[in-house]
Amino acid sequence: VSISIIQVRLVMKAHSFVRENVPKVLSSVKEKTGPVPIPRITQYLYFLFAPTLIYRDNYPRNPTIRWGYVATKFAQVLGSLFYAYYIFVRLCIPQFRNSSQETFNLRGLVLCIFNSILPGVLILFLVFFAFLHCWLNAFAEMLRFADRMFYK
């Protein structure tokens, strides 16, 4: 699943890169106004790792990297993973372990699913927090990426 997500992200980034640069190149070739504006490879590599899906030649940058902030965000990711593991082991696995020892009945399956809804939602919130807030902010800080409007 994670490989598929990474591939979708890379396809979206490639689409944004092409969509932003092809009109500039075509208008430059059509007007023949000097050199063709082709982006540098460093700009494209920065875009691949920056937490954004919209390509620009330049992004706002912070002057320094706050390593304490990066360490805090990675610690929060690690804490979220441990907490999700704890929720999964304590609340989800026992429900299905007990049902696997009994004969199949629809009532038991429905009860297991309904008893796992709340822990599943908690795990989804933890994944949202760990990836979209902590992970992306840590990499944005390491890349000195100043535009942190992930949620807008």
Side-chain angles (χ1 to χ4, degrees):
V1 173
S2 65
I3 293 174
S4 300
I5 292 170
I6 292 170
Q7 287 176 337
V8 167
R9 181 182 66 90
L10 289 175
V11 166
M12 291 169 67
K13 283 188 176 251
H15 174 74
S16 176
F17 179 77
V18 169
R19 186 168 173 91
E20 289 291 324
N21 287 304
V22 166
K24 288 190 272 187
V25 170
L26 289 178
S27 67
S28 175
V29 168
K30 181 180 171 185
E31 296 172 6
K32 297 179 183 176
T33 58
V36 178
I38 298 173
R40 295 187 317 269
I41 192 75
T42 56
Q43 291 171 324
Y44 183 67
L45 284 175
Y46 184 83
F47 169 64
L48 282 181
F49 291 101
T52 184
L53 292 174
I54 300 170
Y55 177 79
R56 300 286 181 252
D57 288 332
N58 295 312
Y59 295 98
R61 307 277 303 265
N62 289 331
T64 60
I65 299 173
R66 299 174 295 172
W67 290 107
Y69 182 80
V70 172
T72 301
K73 291 300 170 192
F74 280 133
Q76 288 175 350
V77 169
L78 194 62
S80 296
L81 289 174
F82 280 124
Y83 190 49
Y85 173 76
Y86 178 79
I87 290 172
F88 193 72
V89 166
R90 291 290 181 175
L91 300 175
C92 292
I93 291 178
Q95 294 293 325
F96 290 99
R97 184 177 294 143
N98 293 338
S99 67
S100 68
Q101 295 169 354
E102 301 169 1
T103 60
F104 176 78
N105 65 11
L106 188 59
R107 181 181 179 274
L109 180 65
V110 170
L111 283 175
C112 284
I113 290 172
F114 278 113
N115 287 336
S116 297
I117 288 175
L118 183 62
V121 169
L122 287 173
I123 289 172
L124 284 176
F125 282 141
L126 281 170
V127 167
F128 174 80
F129 173 75
F131 179 71
L132 291 179
H133 181 70
C134 299
W135 188 263
L136 290 179
N137 267 311
F139 274 93
E141 185 66 33
M142 287 188 294
L143 291 172
R144 297 186 303 136
F145 188 79
D147 187 13
R148 305 277 176 90
M149 298 299 211
F150 299 132
Y151 306 116
K152 287 191 176 186

